[in-house]
Amino acid sequence: MSAAPKPTALGSSLSSSDEYLSHITLASKTEESYSGLVNFYQGLKFSLIKEVNYDTPKPDHGRTASIKREAWLCLVSKNSDGSTTLRVLLLDNQSPDDAASSKVCHSNPELSFVYKDLDIIKTHLNENNIGFKSHINPADNSTRLSLRDPVGTRVYVSSSSQSFTVPSSPKLPPGSSLESEIDKIASQSGKDTPANSGKIKKRIGVLTSGGDAQGMNAAVRAVVRMALARNCQAYLIHEGYQGLVDGGDKIKNASWNDVKGFLTLGGTLIGTARCAEFREPKGRRIAAKHLVKNGIDALVVIGGDGSLTGADTLRKEWPDHIKQLLADGDITQGEASKYQTLMIVGIVGSIDNDLASTDMTIGSSSALARICESVDAIQSTATSHKRAFVVEVMGRHCGWLALNAAICTGADYVFIPESPPEEEDWETTMCDSLKRSRSAGKRTSLIIVAEGAIDAKTNPIRTEYIKEILATRLGYDTRVTILGHVQRGGAPTSMDRYLGTLQGAEAVEAILRATPDTPSPVIGMLEHKITTQPLKEAIELTKEVAKAIEDHNFSRAAQLRPKSFLTQLDAYREIAYYSPEGVNALPHDKRLRIGIVHVGAPAGGMNTATRSVVRLCVNRGHTALGIHNGFPGLMRGEIEVLDWLSVDTWTVMGGSMLGTNRDQPDPQLGAMAYQLQKYEIDALVIIGGFEGYTGLLSLTRHRKEYPAFNIPMVLIPATISNNVPGTDFSLGSETAINVICNSCDAIKQSASSSRKRVFIIEVHGGYSGYLAMLGGLSGGATTVYTPEDGITLDRLYRDVTHMRQHYEKESGHSQGRVVLINEKASKLYTTEMVAKIYDAESRGFYGCHSSILGHLQQGGVPSPSDRVRANTLAVSTIDWIQERCWEGMEIPNEDNVRLPQTQLKRKYRQRVYTPATETSAVIGFIGSKIKFTPTEELVNDTDFEKRKPKSQWWYPIRNLIDVVSGLGYNYYTGEASVNYQSCAIDLTADDLLRLFRQ
């Protein structure tokens, strides 16, 4: 028997140019399981090298439990210079519990070995009654055995180096709702799926077509690296469909390093071009020939709806093209037989965010960021000269960019194609609104216009016409700015990097699980979940928008936008349009006094949320009371009335204009209750992080002692750590991730310019690894260390060796790399210590330094997404508060009711009295919906010691960082093994019809 061990499990594969080395540690808690482990691996032809018994339990690096006994086993390959070393531990039961003790002691509980003769292994397993499952791969008739060792480690034994892929995601059954199915699938995320379950060898081409969009490069990078990690071959097709038609050197075999540096750059590095030839059958036949000659049997197309339609057309015509190419002698019979089908997967790259069946497209986040940067700058000069600016943004049939830009920049008016002005004389309505704002003291006027803006009769609304109206009717000094292709430029935001990476990876997964009958899918995002959708139906829905606008069916056009579109539009108009009497003034008996307080560390979006709350209050007749300096400020009575103009510029302000701190209310509950009564506060809006959550919980639990706390109270989560239960996103978290991305870009540039350097970058987050994880994925980190994973010596050894392998392969190149570490990832392995370990183990291939970003992550201008989310949450909060307050203002007839002496009759209590538990809540984004969750219901999902939710939606992307950084990919042999489980939800055509044609 000749064993060729090439361990492919993540965490155990450590190789250099002339050796395969792997050191794996397994731990057990009982003598029985210890002996079982030793015997089990001896049955797999490991030799027992050394065994030691300790009279006194011995401490072991990287774990809390001491060890009583250990054995070293080794498996030496007869075909290479490598070996696999196995260390088996017996832990001391008297030691503190070790969470990793019963499993394999590295990050991935799977091991994979290759043997030329499996019969000997099978015989041993049968003789010792060890259960296993045998799987045959129909592609090459190779065999793989699947079994578990005595402590539960999944072990794969195969007859050849194989690549296995995950099965298809479950499809939505008829009649089910999208959200319920996504929640159901999320609850099954722990299912046991092998990293590689069959030898599937695909040749995958990737091209970008149509208008460029930031994030396309991230998607190309992910497609190439996921393809290589899945043991497929990747091809870069340059210049879009033109390159496919031209062939030759426009179609290039892609290696791992060919997409190095793609993540941080805007545009598309493989080019895009219009191609008239591809629009004709003859041109598509030439493209088919070039695909066949290069052996490409799958194509990932990144572009807009026109580009994706062209790709689907090519697939439909494929059999006819193959038949004709064979008849013309352009391909051989063998080629015709081998390439009978072509798999197409689409990824939407569009800054307009105009795919009807997805919430976000690649490039839209970055384009919005460019618009906001430009308009924020314009506002400065406009204020200086008291000017009006009319700014045109892209969006021929889609007003998403214009609407969101108006929300983010505090624009006074917006024109979009899906919702034209209803008034025939809209010019007068606009001028009246702008005059009211100027009369209130505002120095500027800003109008955002989508390039496809129309009036109710579908006549175009042009920027020059608006300028003329403002100049002639109002006498305003008006300027027009057309942003144009500025919106396409610049580095992608963290969201587009994240979206491009995740969708690129899922595109490869969709190819690997597809059959010849699978409809061409497009990768999208709904309810904050990645989806695969039938491309044809998705494009048809998108084209329906333009037709609806043409038919004056504007409500239908708006319905085909993200679910939040109409809500955001209504909210924007109420907040932007000022009236001294109130735009939607309520009767006096329904007007409220609403307190607003910031609690915890500052976070981007706090001020935007406050501005929206204040303006809604003013326009509805409520009184907005700003409470300065957190809970202590409430205790001291540092309270003032906020008006419409006082918060005008707060949209772009970072930090906290009201002032904030982490102090809790408990020491001064009585004083706070007094101030609430003194200022007759009917409801309390808390904007803050985990301290705001615990403070709200404290106020709620003291309602019996202090009647003043029996008012509606709601927390709007705002913390960069994103660690508040009851929401997927907290305000400020994306702003912080953008800071981390920009810092990683700058540091890598510096590190590459001098010499080969690695930087260990420490980021905030407390005991939540959200910032490190999302920042690492979008910032291009080689690996990340989080409190959820912890840091062990085995993990450090794996990562250092992987880093060294990078630089060994890149001899002659100078590239900087970064590693992100959460501030509380480990008590022992601090940032400085990790940097020293990397440096000491570099063997001269690189130098290592550390960097702590610190409070940079809390500052800066809020990101567009944080501004939009802040506005959305503020509107929902005021609507919720109104309903709860009005319910609590009802006074029951208690004249004939005998109450305990300690309980006052309702008519003697404060104006609003709501002791019900549901009137104290956290508002948050769950999927794409906004939900209010009572604080008491969140207690069971809260880890108060570590200050974070017990369940975190973002953790599964951890393995994707390993994939795109090359962990598990052997640079010398090209072999790869990844532990990535597809997270996409497969939607059928019926699902789309049910969801979008209601």
Side-chain angles (χ1 to χ4, degrees):
M1 190 276 292
S2 176
K6 296 179 182 178
T8 55
L10 293 178
S12 62
S13 180
L14 306 172
S15 62
S16 64
S17 59
D18 58 354
E19 59 184 355
Y20 292 101
L21 298 175
S22 181
H23 171 195
I24 306 160
T25 301
L26 300 173
S28 61
K29 290 184 176 180
T30 65
E31 291 278 357
E32 181 180 1
S33 59
Y34 170 84
S35 300
L37 279 171
V38 174
N39 293 333
F40 178 87
Y41 286 99
Q42 283 183 305
L44 294 182
K45 303 306 174 183
F46 279 77
S47 300
L48 182 61
I49 305 300
K50 178 182 179 182
E51 188 169 17
V52 182
N53 294 312
Y54 298 105
D55 296 331
T56 302
K58 172 189 172 184
D60 192 42
H61 292 296
R63 73 180 71 251
T64 56
S66 299
I67 56 176
K68 296 168 58 179
R69 192 174 175 188
E70 64 178 302
W72 292 81
L73 300 96
C74 184
L75 179 63
V76 179
S77 172
K78 296 181 180 179
N79 299 330
S80 71
D81 296 330
S83 66
T84 299
T85 302
L86 187 63
R87 184 185 182 213
V88 179
L89 306 179
L90 174 60
L91 301 180
D92 180 18
N93 288 330
Q94 304 303 316
S95 300
D97 188 39
D98 188 333
S101 295
S102 62
K103 296 290 184 183
V104 71
C105 294
H106 50 74
S107 63
N108 178 35
E110 294 181 354
L111 299 176
S112 180
F113 302 104
V114 178
Y115 295 85
K116 285 191 174 181
D117 189 349
L118 286 187
D119 291 337
I120 297 177
I121 304 299
K122 287 182 180 179
T123 300
H124 168 79
L125 295 176
N126 289 325
E127 289 176 351
N128 291 273
N129 295 320
I130 298 175
F132 64 91
K133 292 182 179 180
S134 181
H135 305 277
I136 303 296
N137 180 16
D140 61 0
N141 292 322
S142 61
T143 303
R144 184 185 71 158
L145 308 182
S146 174
L147 60 155
R148 290 188 183 273
D149 71 14
V151 295
T153 309
R154 175 70 73 179
V155 179
Y156 299 109
V157 180
S158 52
S159 56
S160 65
S161 181
Q162 298 179 4
S163 171
F164 301 97
T165 187
V166 298
S168 172
S169 299
K171 293 190 176 182
L172 293 178
S176 63
S177 70
L178 174 66
E179 184 182 22
S180 63
E181 285 303 317
I182 289 176
D183 290 342
K184 179 180 177 182
I185 292 170
S187 68
Q188 299 171 348
S189 60
K191 61 188 177 183
D192 181 24
T193 303
N196 294 312
S197 59
K199 176 120 178 137
I200 300 176
K201 192 74 174 178
K202 290 281 187 180
R203 293 174 177 263
I204 302 173
V206 56
L207 63 84
T208 54
S209 178
D212 61 301
Q214 306 96 320
M216 278 184 165
N217 289 323
V220 171
R221 170 180 178 262
V223 169
V224 169
R225 292 194 169 178
M226 178 59 85
L228 295 175
R230 287 296 195 198
N231 287 323
C232 298
Q233 183 57 62
Y235 291 83
L236 296 175
I237 301 171
H238 293 261
E239 311 307 334
Y241 287 123
Q242 188 64 56
L244 202 55
V245 172
D246 293 344
D249 62 358
K250 297 290 181 65
I251 303 176
K252 297 180 180 179
N253 195 332
S255 69
W256 192 274
N257 286 323
D258 284 337
V259 290
K260 178 176 61 178
F262 272 43
L263 183 67
T264 63
L265 299 176
T268 166
L269 292 173
I270 60 175
T272 180
R274 307 289 179 188
C275 182
E277 294 172 88
F278 191 78
R279 295 174 184 171
E280 302 297 329
K282 183 179 178 181
R284 292 192 289 272
R285 186 166 301 148
I286 296 172
K289 181 181 75 171
H290 291 149
L291 288 173
V292 170
K293 288 301 181 181
N294 283 277
I296 297 173
D297 53 7
L299 191 63
V300 178
V301 177
I302 307 170
D305 56 353
S307 301
L308 302 186
T309 300
D312 198 41
T313 302
L314 175 63
R315 188 190 182 192
K316 289 178 189 174
E317 299 173 347
W318 186 263
D320 294 334
H321 290 320
I322 294 298
K323 183 178 179 181
Q324 188 61 50
L325 289 171
L326 179 61
D328 295 342
D330 291 326
I331 61 175
T332 66
Q333 180 62 56
E335 289 171 331
S337 300
K338 185 175 181 180
Y339 300 104
Q340 293 182 2
T341 59
L342 174 71
M343 184 61 197
I344 296 286
V345 175
I347 298 176
V348 184
S350 168
I351 67 169
D352 293 342
N353 196 28
D354 55 358
L355 185 71
S357 56
T358 189
D359 293 337
M360 185 75 73
T361 61
I362 294 173
S364 56
S365 172
S366 300
L368 180 59
R370 296 296 93 76
I371 294 171
C372 291
E373 290 168 3
S374 302
V375 175
D376 289 348
I378 286 172
Q379 291 277 49
S380 300
T381 184
T383 302
S384 302
H385 297 274
K386 298 186 70 173
R387 282 179 176 149
F389 269 85
V390 184
V391 179
E392 181 182 291
V393 303
M394 287 187 175
R396 229 176 338 172
H397 300 296
C398 182
W400 186 89
L401 276 179
L403 174 59
N404 282 270
I407 292 171
C408 291
T409 59
D412 299 279
Y413 227 82
V414 67
F415 293 96
I416 59 176
E418 296 93 339
S419 182
E422 297 177 357
E423 310 88 350
E424 188 169 329
D425 184 16
W426 58 265
E427 296 92 340
T428 299
T429 303
M430 176 186 69
C431 289
D432 289 344
S433 177
L434 297 180
K435 279 194 295 185
R436 287 194 298 268
S437 296
R438 289 290 183 108
S439 299
K442 190 171 183 182
R443 292 177 58 86
T444 66
S445 299
L446 173 64
I447 298 172
I448 305 288
V449 184
E451 61 177 328
I454 54 175
D455 63 18
K457 296 181 179 179
T458 66
N459 297 313
I461 296 178
R462 305 298 186 193
T463 54
E464 288 295 335
Y465 178 65
I466 297 174
K467 174 186 175 182
E468 181 184 345
I469 294 296
L470 298 184
T472 57
R473 295 195 188 186
L474 299 177
Y476 290 170
D477 181 7
T478 307
R479 299 288 188 272
V480 171
T481 298
I482 299 177
L483 295 181
H485 285 75
V486 167
Q487 298 158 84
R488 294 191 185 275
T493 62
S494 62
M495 172 55 74
D496 279 330
R497 300 184 194 193
Y498 164 78
L499 198 59
T501 302
L502 198 56
Q503 291 193 346
E506 289 297 338
V508 175
E509 295 297 293
I511 288 171
L512 292 179
R513 64 175 176 255
T515 68
D517 298 325
T518 303
S520 297
V522 61
I523 310 298
M525 176 176 278
L526 281 173
E527 304 283 353
H528 191 55
K529 297 294 188 297
I530 297 295
T531 63
T532 62
Q533 309 169 13
L535 190 152
K536 176 184 174 184
E537 283 73 16
I539 298 301
E540 287 176 353
L541 284 173
T542 300
K543 291 180 178 178
E544 191 177 323
V545 176
K547 177 138 189 340
I549 292 174
E550 183 182 341
D551 296 340
H552 296 197
N553 189 356
F554 301 114
S555 61
R556 175 58 180 157
Q559 286 172 0
L560 291 170
R561 296 295 172 224
K563 289 185 178 181
S564 59
F565 188 85
L566 284 174
T567 304
Q568 289 175 342
L569 179 60
D570 292 340
Y572 162 75
R573 285 174 172 163
E574 183 177 5
I575 291 170
Y577 304 164
Y578 172 70
S579 170
E581 298 80 21
V583 175
N584 297 309
L586 295 163
H588 284 278
D589 62 339
K590 287 196 170 184
R591 297 183 183 180
L592 307 168
R593 293 173 63 82
I594 300 174
I596 310 163
V597 61
H598 295 179
V599 179
M606 275 184 162
N607 295 321
T608 309
T610 303
R611 175 185 184 272
S612 298
V613 169
V614 170
R615 289 202 162 181
L616 285 170
C617 287
V618 170
N619 283 334
R620 296 183 184 184
H622 304 311
T623 300
L625 299 164
I627 302 168
H628 293 273
N629 304 315
F631 287 130
L634 176 58
M635 179 267 294
R636 295 188 293 265
E638 297 173 357
I639 302 172
E640 68 168 332
V641 175
L642 300 175
D643 60 27
W644 190 87
L645 190 61
S646 65
V647 296
D648 183 49
T649 60
W650 286 22
T651 300
V652 299
M653 298 277 189
S656 167
M657 297 298 290
L658 287 178
T660 183
N661 57 57
R662 301 177 184 270
D663 292 354
Q664 292 292 284
D666 295 67
Q668 297 292 339
L669 290 170
M672 291 173 59
Y674 166 75
Q675 298 294 351
L676 290 173
Q677 291 174 319
K678 176 182 176 181
Y679 286 90
E680 299 179 334
I681 294 177
D682 297 315
L684 187 63
V685 178
I686 302 171
I687 304 174
F690 200 85
E691 295 84 0
Y693 167 65
T694 53
L696 175 59
L697 195 59
S698 177
L699 294 178
T700 306
R701 290 176 171 175
H702 286 89
R703 278 178 162 179
K704 289 185 179 180
E705 297 96 316
Y706 302 99
F709 298 157
N710 289 280
I711 57 176
M713 298 182 289
V714 62
L715 172 69
I716 297 179
T719 168
I720 67 171
S721 301
N722 198 33
N723 63 338
V724 176
T727 186
D728 290 343
F729 298 101
S730 296
L731 301 183
S733 58
E734 187 179 89
T735 301
I737 292 172
N738 282 339
V739 170
I740 293 170
C741 280
N742 294 335
S743 299
C744 288
D745 291 351
I747 288 173
K748 282 194 288 186
Q749 186 180 65
S750 170
S752 298
S753 300
S754 52
R755 62 188 182 91
K756 294 179 178 179
R757 282 183 179 173
V758 174
F759 272 84
I760 312 297
I761 302 176
E762 181 183 302
V763 300
H764 278 341
Y767 286 101
S768 170
Y770 178 80
L771 286 183
M773 197 74 77
L774 272 293
L777 183 68
S778 51
T782 303
T783 192
V784 298
Y785 298 107
T786 66
E788 289 78 8
D789 286 333
I791 304 177
T792 65
L793 200 56
D794 284 346
R795 168 78 187 277
L796 287 171
Y797 181 53
R798 179 200 74 173
D799 294 341
V800 168
T801 307
H802 176 230
M803 185 71 73
R804 195 165 58 234
Q805 189 183 72
H806 270 298
Y807 286 106
E808 288 175 351
K809 181 66 175 175
E810 295 172 354
S811 178
H813 297 273
S814 180
Q815 183 181 359
R817 288 184 169 83
V818 297
V819 171
L820 262 56
I821 181 171
N822 169 276
E823 59 188 339
K824 293 189 180 294
S826 172
K827 291 182 179 180
L828 175 63
Y829 296 107
T830 62
T831 302
E832 184 179 0
M833 179 179 286
V834 170
K836 289 181 178 179
I837 291 173
Y838 269 75
D839 195 45
E841 296 296 325
S842 68
R843 297 183 186 174
F845 282 103
Y846 59 84
C848 188
H849 300 267
S850 62
S851 179
I852 299 176
L853 297 185
H855 288 78
L856 283 174
Q857 300 157 87
Q858 293 180 359
V861 176
S863 73
S865 289
D866 277 332
R867 301 189 211 182
V868 172
R869 288 170 182 161
N871 182 78
T872 302
L873 293 177
V875 174
S876 297
T877 294
I878 294 301
D879 290 342
W880 182 86
I881 281 177
Q882 286 180 166
E883 295 299 324
R884 304 290 84 76
C885 282
W886 294 339
E887 292 170 1
M889 290 165 63
E890 298 176 1
I891 302 178
N893 184 1
E894 297 176 337
D895 292 340
N896 299 322
V897 178
R898 296 186 63 182
L899 299 174
Q901 292 182 351
T902 56
Q903 185 173 342
L904 294 174
K905 288 189 176 182
R906 178 65 184 85
K907 57 187 175 184
Y908 296 115
R909 297 182 183 132
Q910 65 251 32
R911 181 166 173 255
V912 174
Y913 186 82
T914 57
T917 56
E918 59 267 20
T919 59
S920 170
V922 174
I923 182 176
F925 294 97
I926 307 295
S928 66
K929 293 189 176 182
I930 297 174
K931 294 186 179 180
F932 289 86
T933 310
T935 50
E936 289 293 346
E937 290 185 14
L938 293 172
V939 170
N940 291 334
D941 187 41
T942 305
D943 185 338
F944 286 96
E945 181 181 356
K946 294 186 176 179
R947 299 164 50 83
K948 65 179 182 180
K950 292 180 180 178
S951 57
Q952 300 175 110
W953 64 266
W954 47 266
Y955 186 74
I957 70 170
R958 172 71 183 82
N959 289 332
L960 187 54
I961 296 177
D962 291 341
V963 171
V964 294
S965 68
L967 195 62
Y969 178 79
N970 191 303
Y971 291 89
Y972 303 99
T973 66
E975 294 182 349
S977 176
V978 298
N979 183 35
Y980 178 76
Q981 181 172 320
S982 175
C983 61
I985 310 302
D986 288 338
L987 300 179
T988 65
D990 290 340
D991 297 325
L992 289 185
L993 293 176
R994 186 176 69 254
L995 290 165
F996 293 97
R997 290 190 174 163
Q998 298 174 351

